[in-house]
Amino acid sequence: MVHMTSPALTVGFDLDMTLIDSRPGIHACFEALSARTGTYIDCDLVVTRLGPPLEQELAHWFPADSIEETAGVYRAMYPEHAITGTLAMPGAREAVTAVRAAGGRAVVVTAKWEPNARLHLDHLGIDADEVVGNLWAERKAVALREHGASVYVGDHTGDVRGARTARAYSVAVATGPCDAEELREAGADVVLADLTEFPAWLENHRR
């Protein structure tokens, strides 16, 4: 007789404005980049539109032929300026713990450069099973499929698109630049106010 078992639960999480509030650190790093390059950057504006790849933001402030080099400079400066100022989002640790308590795995899939993403998680004590960086929107589906994620949690419409492309359940949190209506219109299966609501949602979802 063959005994069938259900696949292990794997939940993907976005990083910026989902698990971490990186606005203070990113603001500080862009201020330092502005001072270093002599280029004006509206850092207050920058932190209102976190989510897309760094290069997309740099294109607002730097010529196209300098973006790759400038991105390298920013990423090298990032550990000094952005890590210690960043906070865990409310409920972030508890959300990851809830996945583990359900016998599952938590995988962080983010557009952020992977080494810096790992620094954030280590500094804040958020213990993800896997971290995959440098993926945005639909491209996040590559990692979600690879790791067998059936749920993906994010704050941006790009995260919703990534979940839908991977055919994962899209859980959106209205803690980033996209409000609840935008997230629903993008196709999120459920919209939570923040991650403090996630453990209860997960328990009900598994039932």
Side-chain angles (χ1 to χ4, degrees), residues 171-188:
V171 177
V173 285
T175 50
C178 302
D179 63 27
E181 183 177 354
E182 289 178 274
L183 295 165
R184 290 190 188 96
E185 288 179 352

Side-chain angles (χ1 to χ4, degrees), residues 109 136-145 152 156-170 186:
V109 182
W136 164 240
E138 289 83 355
R139 291 188 61 232
K140 291 188 172 189
V142 175
L144 296 174
R145 288 171 177 154
Y152 185 58
H156 199 285
T157 55
D159 299 322
V160 176
R161 299 200 306 272
R164 293 181 66 84
T165 302
R167 297 186 177 181
Y169 201 93
S170 174

Side-chain angles (χ1 to χ4, degrees), residues 33-203:
L33 180 68
S34 178
R36 179 164 174 172
T37 62
T39 301
Y40 170 75
I41 300 173
D42 185 341
C43 302
D44 292 335
L45 178 59
V46 167
V47 297
T48 67
R49 51 192 186 197
L50 301 183
L54 170 64
E55 289 82 359
Q56 186 170 316
E57 182 60 45
L58 293 176
H60 293 290
W61 314 106
F62 295 89
D65 61 0
S66 70
I67 288 175
E68 183 177 354
E69 179 182 356
T70 306
V73 172
Y74 175 92
R75 288 174 176 135
M77 298 171 66
Y78 195 92
E80 177 183 355
H81 296 280
I83 301 301
T84 58
T86 291
L87 307 171
M89 293 294 284
R93 296 182 183 89
E94 292 82 359
V96 173
T97 298
V99 174
R100 294 274 180 73
R105 301 171 68 251
V107 178
V108 173
V109 182
T110 174
K112 191 180 292 296
W113 194 49
E114 189 172 309
N116 287 339
R118 291 181 181 276
L119 288 176
H120 276 304
L121 295 169
D122 290 345
H123 177 73
L124 293 172
I126 300 174
D127 189 17
D129 293 284
E130 300 284 348
V131 181
V132 183
N134 313 317
L135 295 177
W136 164 240
E138 289 83 355
R139 291 188 61 232
K140 291 188 172 189
V142 175
L144 296 174
R145 288 171 177 154
E146 179 182 346
H147 291 284
S150 59
V151 175
Y152 185 58
V153 187
D155 66 282
H156 199 285
T157 55
D159 299 322
V160 176
R161 299 200 306 272
R164 293 181 66 84
T165 302
R167 297 186 177 181
Y169 201 93
S170 174
V171 177
V173 285
T175 50
C178 302
D179 63 27
E181 183 177 354
E182 289 178 274
L183 295 165
R184 290 190 188 96
E185 288 179 352
D189 293 297
V190 64
V191 179
L192 308 178
D194 58 32
L195 285 179
T196 63
E197 298 180 359
F198 180 79
W201 174 85
L202 181 64
E203 182 177 353

